[in-house]
């Protein structure tokens, strides 16, 4: 099952299992957690090229990085080739990978002509890639959806354009813009893209279990797997897929292992954003960590009503210790 190490231009990944860019989720603390669980590459939340160029300070906080998370990919969104190219020069330090978002379905992003709106204008995509490629000497990747809607499925055309313009790898989330997150991701599109291109293809969409990851890898022939929602409260998924690909036995975390991970997650959030934001963010993450455990739904309501980080910590310790003793 194991293939040769995956290389994106000059970058060789330790693992073909990588973290998806997710706005509101893939902040620095989350990326450090996922990296510590074996992610071969972690992507930032999407960063506005306009924001970087026009009001740098507000957007710059999204570019804060830590050596522990290397290699980091920064994802940009925008629609103006020159602004996107200019945004590259505003990075504090060059990331290991630059990625361009061509799949975001959110209305506000679409209205600005960015994200998956670009899929309707392949010529603009070519111009963007030309301009950005001139500025980025290291690995350049793009992330796309299958097309705008089922009548305009054009991931193969976009893939060919990307390869011709010198993109080093491509990720496909095989849903259309109009589908949003509904229905199932059509993994056949990932197979078709892989067969059509020479550059590495990452598959994204509906990898929730180890079995899903292995099936996508085997059935589509893709070069790498991108983990999104399946990693919510379950960063171990990445290590478990890595272990399975290497023919090793997988281990499952105990309640005490989960508690230790949560504590580290809280500490990283506090270090980065302070206690108030950590409380808001960790209420969501801790609810995810508890999924599937006995009493999880009652615990979730208690978590949501916590107003102090110290209360959240006590509540969480009690819940996970209690599960340990069941
Ligand atoms: C909350 C959330 C935020 C997302 N933000 C981004 C983003 O900023 N950039 C991007 O390319 N994709 C984004 N995505 C899409 C994911 O990267 C991924 O392609 C998609 O969720 C399908 O994979 P999954 O089924 O493993 O979650 C986001 C998805 C979610 C759920």
């Amino acid at each position: 099952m194991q293939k040769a190490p995956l290389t994106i231009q000059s970058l060789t990944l330790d693992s073909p299992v990588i973290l998806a860019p997710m706005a509101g989720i893939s902040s620095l603390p989350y990326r450090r957690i996922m990296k510590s669980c074996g992610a071969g590459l972690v992507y930032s939340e999407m960063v506005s090229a306009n924001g970087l160029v026009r009001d740098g300070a507000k957007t710059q906080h999204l570019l804060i990085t830590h050596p522990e998370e290397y290699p980091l990919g920064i994802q940009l969104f925008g629609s103006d080739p020159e602004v996107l190219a200019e945004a590259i020069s505003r990075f504090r330090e060059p990331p290991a990978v630059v990625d361009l978002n061509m799949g975001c379905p959110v209305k506000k992003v679409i209205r600005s002509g960015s994200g998956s709106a670009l899929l309707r204008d392949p010529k603009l995509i070519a111009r963007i890639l030309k301009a950005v490629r001139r500025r980025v000497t290291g690995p350049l990747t793009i992330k796309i959806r299958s097309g705008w809607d089922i009548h305009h499925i054009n991931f193969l055309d976009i893939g060919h354009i990307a390869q011709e313009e010198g993109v080093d790898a491509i990720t496909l989330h095989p849903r259309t813009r109009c589908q949003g997150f509904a229905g199932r991701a059509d993994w056949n599109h990932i197979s078709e893209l892989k067969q059509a291109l020479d550059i590495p293809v990452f598959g994204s969409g509906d990898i929730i279990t180890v079995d899903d990851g292995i099936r996508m890898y085997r059935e589509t022939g893709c070069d790498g797997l991108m983990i999104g929602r399946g990693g919510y409260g379950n960063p171990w998924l990445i290590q478990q897929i890595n272990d399975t690909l290497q023919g090793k036995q997988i281990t499952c975390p105990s309640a005490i292992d989960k508690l230790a991970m949560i504590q580290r997650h809280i500490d990283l959030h506090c270090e980065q954003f302070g206690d108030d934001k950590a409380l808001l963010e960790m209420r969501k993450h801790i609810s995810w960590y508890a999924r599937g455990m006995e009493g999880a739904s009652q615990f979730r309501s208690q978590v949501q009503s916590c107003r102090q980080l110290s209360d959240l910590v006590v509540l969480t310790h009690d819940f996970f210790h209690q599960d340990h003793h069941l």
Side-chain angles (χ1 to χ4, degrees):
M1 173 92 50
Q2 226 186 336
K3 302 180 190 170
L6 175 50
T7 299
I8 307 176
Q9 200 220 46
S10 53
L11 178 71
T12 300
L13 304 188
D14 288 342
S15 149
V17 188
I18 68 172
L19 173 65
M22 284 185 289
I25 305 285
S26 310
S27 59
L28 176 55
Y30 192 72
R31 300 194 304 261
R32 286 173 73 179
I33 292 284
M34 298 311 256
K35 174 68 193 179
S36 74
C37 289
L41 170 68
V42 293
Y43 278 110
S44 69
E45 305 174 71
M46 60 179 186
V47 179
S48 161
N50 260 316
L52 271 186
V53 170
R54 306 211 198 290
D55 57 7
K58 271 203 218 146
T59 312
Q60 282 287 339
H61 73 275
L62 290 171
L63 302 180
I64 297 171
T65 177
H66 188 281
E68 215 175 74
E69 65 171 337
Y70 181 86
L72 167 69
I74 299 271
Q75 187 188 61
L76 288 175
F77 74 96
S79 60
D80 183 318
E82 295 316 315
V83 173
L84 278 159
E86 180 56 28
I88 311 283
S89 62
R90 306 297 171 98
F91 292 156
R92 294 160 170 235
E93 45 194 288
V97 176
V98 174
D99 184 79
L100 300 180
N101 181 319
M102 301 185 171
C104 179
V106 171
K107 274 199 186 111
K108 196 171 148 204
V109 173
I110 299 291
R111 254 186 259 121
S112 72
S114 313
S116 52
L118 292 171
L119 299 176
R120 294 196 287 191
D121 193 347
K123 286 199 178 115
L124 177 57
I125 288 186
R127 285 202 290 127
I128 287 174
L129 294 178
K130 243 188 213 23
V132 172
R133 184 71 278 184
R134 275 199 290 268
R135 291 289 178 97
V136 179
T137 48
L140 172 65
T141 61
I142 66 169
K143 183 159 178 286
I144 64 171
R145 283 185 174 237
S146 296
W148 179 258
D149 60 24
I150 53 164
H151 306 294
H152 300 88
I153 300 279
N154 62 350
F155 64 92
L156 286 175
D157 292 343
I158 306 295
H160 282 295
I161 292 170
Q163 185 164 282
E164 273 158 34
E165 297 299 341
V167 166
D168 299 301
I170 181 166
T171 301
L172 174 60
H173 172 202
R175 286 186 172 89
T176 64
R177 186 270 162 178
C178 291
Q179 235 180 316
F181 284 89
R184 304 239 5 121
D186 186 348
W187 290 359
N188 291 324
H189 291 175
I190 300 173
S191 313
E192 289 172 40
L193 190 64
K194 172 61 196 161
Q195 278 164 31
L197 300 184
D198 298 323
I199 56 174
V201 171
F202 288 85
S204 167
D206 301 347
I207 302 176
I208 305 301
T209 64
V210 174
D211 184 53
D212 295 332
I214 302 303
R215 269 194 312 108
M216 183 193 278
Y217 203 59
R218 212 173 34 216
E219 288 175 12
T220 69
C222 66
D223 300 280
L225 303 171
M226 184 179 268
I227 304 297
R229 292 164 296 172
Y232 287 1
N234 185 17
W236 299 275
L237 177 63
I238 293 183
Q239 192 60 55
Q240 290 168 343
I241 295 176
N242 279 334
D243 286 346
T244 308
L245 291 176
Q246 289 168 16
K248 295 185 196 159
Q249 283 286 356
I250 62 169
T251 52
C252 292
S254 66
I256 295 304
D257 296 332
K258 290 183 185 176
L259 186 56
M261 186 68 81
I262 291 170
Q263 191 55 58
R264 174 156 164 72
H265 207 153
I266 294 174
D267 292 345
L268 290 173
H269 263 288
C270 290
E271 178 186 320
Q272 203 61 42
F273 302 116
D275 287 13
D276 290 350
K277 182 142 191 242
L279 171 68
L280 291 178
E281 290 295 313
M282 287 310 299
R283 286 203 299 222
K284 157 178 94 187
H285 287 288
I286 290 172
S287 298
W288 287 331
Y289 278 106
R291 260 194 314 218
M293 293 170 69
E294 204 174 316
S297 101
Q298 193 194 353
F299 172 66
R300 257 197 309 275
S301 331
Q302 292 169 329
V303 162
Q304 294 312 325
S305 54
C306 272
R307 296 284 168 266
Q308 296 287 336
L309 188 61
S310 52
D311 294 345
L312 181 64
V313 169
V314 171
L315 180 70
T316 303
H317 274 254
D318 287 352
F319 178 77
F320 283 86
H321 273 295
Q322 177 193 320
D323 184 273
H324 178 62
H325 294 301
L326 280 181

